[in-house]
Amino acid sequence: MKKIVLLIDFGSTYTKLTLVDPSAMEVLHTAQIPTSSQEGLQLCYTEGKKALLQTLKFSDQVKIEEYFCSSAWGGFKMIAIGLTESLTLEAAKRAALGAGSRILQTFCYRLTLDQLEEIEQQKPDVVLLTGGCNGGNQEIIRHNARLLAQLSTEIALIVAGNEDSYGELSKLLQDRNNTYFTENVMPDVNKLNPIPVRKIAQKVFLEKIVHSKGIHQVAAHASAPIIPTPKAVLAAAKLLKEGTQASKGFGNLVVVDIGGATTDIHSVGDGLPQAENVYFEGLEEPYLKRTVEGDLGMRSSAVSLLRCIVEDSNRIRALSSWKFTTLQAACYYRCSHPTYVPKTREECLIDQFLAQSATAIALERHAGKIRKEYTPNRTIYYQHGKDLRNFQTIIGTGGVIIHSQSPKKIVKPDIKGMSNTLLPVDPQILIDQDYLLSAMGLLSQNYPEAALNILKKKLYRLNP
């Protein structure tokens, strides 16, 4: 019996469907349809699947496996709480983003009653409570747990802080049946431990998102648990970096994903110091790193993107070629018309400029920095963050990149005047022109060889 695989990415606006023959390592068909309302998601799934299967011309019986990811209804929404902004809170953010969540807001030190009310009003799916290394401060995490005990039980709570405090925290939170304890996200100073949080977050995603947001009917058809779309993209990036036993990967790489609300950067590789006289300082960087810039979107975040451009000294020269009032009006219009598609040459050029700026700022935020100190005998360098200079591949995805006449100008970083920022140097540029990254991330769960070969064939390589 022939086996085919159906891969579905449920987005907030559109649902993308991909049909694959894993043995032939080929994409049979793709489709994109508007995402139905919460109540009609089953209809969306049924009609999309029916339309794709009608394209098949197999005479024999076919076995269908189905894998799903979702970012519908705002995705997997999280609020992170830590002790200090530079350490435990940053560790919490990195662990949460690596789990495919969307961080609504962060808080550090002592929560207040006003902040607790603010959390309730934002209605996150989960709150991640961290704070203190093992053996360190317990007072702050106890204070915050005492307040969070009042939080609605509809909001899940993950505790990943000082494990020495768990005995008392479990008593404070004993009346909450939606609370999960796991390993400390930062057990020692500057030591990141994200995997346990990501595993618990996946469990919460399945229990809360799948059952409370109308996906449970569709989930019954899945051959594996539904995962957040960003996690599927990260899986595809990891596969492309590492390859398989039979096929070589690309090595260290970066994925640039520009959307209407955010610009997401994924990097796969350790990014450690490359020279003996370079010392690493600050919080340990994750091998799989994802950053989400909520102020750098092409539509609903266009106004905040323009504000970031104005405030960025590296973008001032590019900004000078535009009449500011023209850009301002264009951004306000895009912000209030999230489905807007540019038609004229000037409109396309504005989108191009905004996309280039979003990529440049997002990459600068994602990449590490280096500083130097002079001693009587030598110069010592200190690296903070991830060194992307030997990341030789950048993959661009998102509508503005795929439909651009000059995608390379959007994706390739401009390193002029950026000597202290550790950006990729002369990388090869690939474009995900068929929106396959999330689908192949899903496929890689059981068919990594097929997923890798399809991506290698389908990613469009731009000329140097």
Side-chain angles (χ1 to χ4, degrees), residues 231-305:
K231 188 173 181 181
V233 174
L234 266 177
K238 183 173 184 289
L239 177 69
L240 282 166
K241 191 273 186 196
E242 298 176 349
T244 64
Q245 288 186 340
S247 302
K248 188 178 179 181
F250 291 144
N252 294 344
L253 59 80
V254 174
V255 176
V256 176
D257 184 357
I258 306 178
T262 68
T263 293
D264 298 4
I265 307 292
H266 309 73
S267 62
V268 189
D270 55 42
L272 294 172
Q274 300 178 40
E276 290 184 1
N277 64 335
V278 179
Y279 297 88
F280 191 87
E281 62 181 1
L283 182 63
E284 184 179 55
E285 286 289 315
Y287 174 78
L288 288 172
K289 181 176 180 178
R290 170 177 171 247
T291 50
V292 179
E293 309 302 342
D295 54 353
L296 302 179
M298 294 295 297
R299 294 296 179 262
S300 58
S301 302
V303 172
S304 60
L305 169 56

Side-chain angles (χ1 to χ4, degrees), residues 86-92 94-95 130 132-134 160-161 163 183-197 272 280-287:
S86 61
L87 288 176
T88 50
L89 180 56
E90 184 61 29
R94 293 183 188 182
T130 68
C133 300
N134 292 341
E163 294 172 41
E183 295 175 29
N184 194 343
V185 74
M186 196 183 75
D188 297 305
V189 176
N190 290 327
K191 183 70 175 178
L192 187 63
N193 180 35
I195 303 301
V197 168
L272 294 172
F280 191 87
E281 62 181 1
L283 182 63
E284 184 179 55
E285 286 289 315
Y287 174 78

